[in-house]
Each structure stands twice: as structure tokens, then as C-alpha cells.
Amino acid sequence: MEHIDLTESVGAAPLRPAKAVSPSVRAWLFLTPSMLFLAVLVAASLLVLRMSIGEKGAEWSGFSLASYAQLAEPYYLKSLLLTLRLALFSALIAVALAIPVGYCMSRLQSPFLRRVFLAAVLLPLLVNLLLQSYGWLVILGPAGMLNQALMGLGLIDRPMMLLYNQTGVLMGLVQTAFPLAVLPIASAMRGVSRTYEEAAATLGASRVRVFCQVVLPMSLPGIFTGATLVFAYNASSFVVPLLLGGRRVPMLAVMVHDQIAPLMNWPAASAAGVVLIVTTLAIMTFSEYVTGRRRRMLEASQ
């Protein structure tokens, strides 16, 4: 039977394949939602910056650097230094506690146990921060669980004052930001090949020496990342210092709240927020520089 070309018989044009979308266009389409979200954050930051150079009652029309000059007063400098100190100490303590937990998570063979560890680490992120802070009030109060346990064991004669001071705030900051330190450290340690540990053990190194001289140095990028995340998170903390420290631990975020809520001084609050953001970004940039340099040194040595 003779084959008949229906396309030619009816005079219709042959079908052409659809033009493929280039990879760059697909990448931009994929990034569009996140870029829109970042654009909103950038716009909000620019608005805060504009209000910081305004005047009280004329935030959008006035121009003054009085709010920044006010931050040079001893009270505000003390608040900034206190914020940076507590954020730094909480980062160091959280990293010190996260290193053994991250090492255990990275060396677990059972998928079920890894999930259990991960769920336990992520649990503070699943509970409302306000509830966690009230839980610390129950634990650290003069008649709280910790003081009652210590007095029952005969270790102390009277309750210790752990609330409304820097000790209680520091404990709350470490606990709430602990998962941010564990996850990058565990990921970095999981990337350390077992062959390095086996080679060191073959040469006679003990387990402690293998950990300190092999695993820990090769995990420094993850350790720096975890410390940076905890520092940035706690530097802007508001709920924990407000509830556990009261007005006796005036961190900068609490001061920003006080400038807005009772005083309605938006320029002063915006200036304090800008200073806090710039300081945190500067420290994070330095940490990223050190982390990148360490990562390049590890890649060059392999």
C-alpha cells in the first residue's frame, strides 16, 4: 500500500519541537521566590537605616545623627559590650558542648539512632522560645528544681540567685542556640574520612590524640560556622534576656524594645539596630574569612 503523507495532503505545516528553556533562565526562575523574600528584607533594612538618621516625630523628613551620638554614651556602650560579651561566651560554651555531640552523631552507624539524636538536638527549635524561657524560670528560680535538688543533696545551704543576672541569661542563650552549633559541626565531622583516623591509629596514636590532632583540626570550618551562627542568633536575642535577666541585663535588643514601646523613639531604636547589625555582620565576615582560609588550606593539603 502506498504511504500517504497527510501533512502534504492537507497543506498543514510540520510540527516543530518546543524551544527548550536555557539553564540560566531556569536557575533565575528557581531563585525568584527567595530573591523576592530577600528583597523585602533589604527594603526593610533600608527603611530602618532611614529612620535612624531622622528625628523623633519627623522620622521621614528630618535628618540628624543625634541617635548615633547618643549611642556613644556610657549606658549604651555598656549595653553593646554586654551584648557582644554574652553572645561570644554563649557561642564558645555552645560549641564546646556541641563538639562531643556532633562527633557522636557523625560516627553513629544505625540510621534509627541518628534520627533519635537529630530529633533530640532539634527539639529546642520545635518548642516556642517563650515556653523555653518560662521553663528556665521554673528551673532556676529560688524555689526552682535546681536549687531544690542542690539543697536536697546538701551541696548548698540556701538557694542560689540564678535569675535576673548574667548567669541565668547565659544559660538560656546556650540552651536555645545549641542546635545551631551541633548541626554544622556534625556535618563537618561526618565529612572527615575514616581513613585518616585509621592511619593515625596505625601509627600508634590513641583515640584522644586522633580526635584532637586529626578530627578536630579538619572540622574547624564547621566549628567556626557553628560558633558564628550561635553568636549572630544570640546577639539579637530579646525574649531570653528580657525574661531571665529582666532590666538587670540590658542587652541591646531589650534596649531597642524599650525605645519603641514606652518612648516611641524610633530613630534611637533604629540606630541601635543598625549598630547591632553592622557589628554582627563584621564579626560574621571575619569568621567567614577565617573559615574560607582554613577550608582552602585543608583542600590544598589533601
Side-chain angles (χ1 to χ4, degrees):
M1 179 181 292
E2 183 180 358
H3 176 71
I4 300 176
D5 192 346
L6 295 178
T7 302
E8 294 180 355
S9 62
V10 299
L15 297 177
R16 297 180 180 179
K19 186 178 180 180
V21 181
S22 64
S24 60
V25 175
R26 288 201 299 267
W28 281 109
L29 291 176
F30 181 75
L31 293 174
T32 297
S34 59
M35 292 180 65
L36 291 176
F37 178 73
L38 291 176
V40 174
L41 295 181
V42 171
S45 302
L46 293 176
L47 293 177
V48 172
L49 180 61
R50 175 61 187 91
M51 281 195 298
S52 68
I53 58 176
E55 297 178 351
K56 185 177 180 181
E59 290 82 4
W60 304 111
S61 58
F63 179 82
S64 174
L65 297 178
S67 298
Y68 288 97
Q70 185 181 8
L71 294 177
E73 297 178 1
Y75 173 77
Y76 296 100
L77 285 179
K78 181 181 177 181
S79 177
L80 177 61
L81 294 177
L82 174 65
T83 301
L84 297 179
R85 185 172 70 250
L86 288 178
L88 178 60
F89 286 169
S90 64
L92 295 177
I93 296 174
V95 166
L97 296 176
I99 286 176
V101 177
Y103 182 73
C104 292
M105 290 181 62
S106 65
R107 294 300 181 260
L108 287 176
Q109 299 295 331
S110 172
F112 174 74
L113 290 179
R114 281 202 299 267
R115 295 191 186 97
V116 171
F117 259 78
L118 183 61
V121 169
L122 294 178
L123 187 60
L125 298 179
L126 303 178
V127 180
N128 186 275
L129 191 60
L130 190 63
L131 296 179
Q132 295 183 56
S133 300
Y134 278 118
W136 278 110
L137 291 176
V138 175
I139 295 173
L140 301 179
M145 299 169 55
L146 181 59
N147 278 312
Q148 292 296 326
L150 294 177
M151 293 176 64
L153 294 174
L155 299 178
I156 57 175
D157 297 329
R158 56 182 180 180
M160 296 184 299
M161 189 61 186
L162 298 175
L163 287 179
Y164 309 119
N165 53 32
Q166 297 184 26
T167 302
V169 173
L170 186 60
M171 294 175 66
L173 292 177
V174 171
Q175 182 267 323
T176 53
F178 181 70
L180 301 178
V182 173
L183 297 180
I185 291 176
S187 177
M189 290 184 173
R190 194 177 297 115
V192 177
S193 177
R194 292 288 187 90
T195 56
Y196 296 107
E197 300 180 50
E198 295 172 358
T202 304
L203 295 175
S206 63
R207 290 187 178 182
V208 176
R209 194 170 182 181
V210 169
F211 177 78
C212 294
Q213 297 186 3
V214 177
V215 178
L216 206 58
M218 299 186 70
S219 304
L220 282 181
I223 294 174
F224 278 114
T225 302
T228 304
L229 290 176
V230 175
F231 177 86
Y233 182 80
N234 286 338
S236 59
S237 179
F238 166 70
V239 175
V240 172
L242 181 64
L243 293 181
L244 302 184
R247 293 296 185 268
R248 298 182 180 179
V249 186
M251 292 183 68
L252 204 57
V254 178
M255 192 203 71
V256 171
H257 170 267
D258 292 340
Q259 289 289 342
I260 294 177
L263 302 178
M264 297 301 292
N265 192 348
W266 290 91
S270 301
V274 170
V275 170
L276 181 60
I277 292 174
V278 171
T279 305
T280 304
L281 288 179
I283 296 176
M284 291 178 65
T285 302
F286 175 75
S287 175
E288 183 64 25
Y289 169 76
V290 174
T291 304
R293 186 175 180 180
R294 180 65 184 178
R295 187 180 294 110
R296 289 191 295 269
M297 291 174 59
L298 290 176
E299 292 175 354
S301 63
Q302 294 178 358

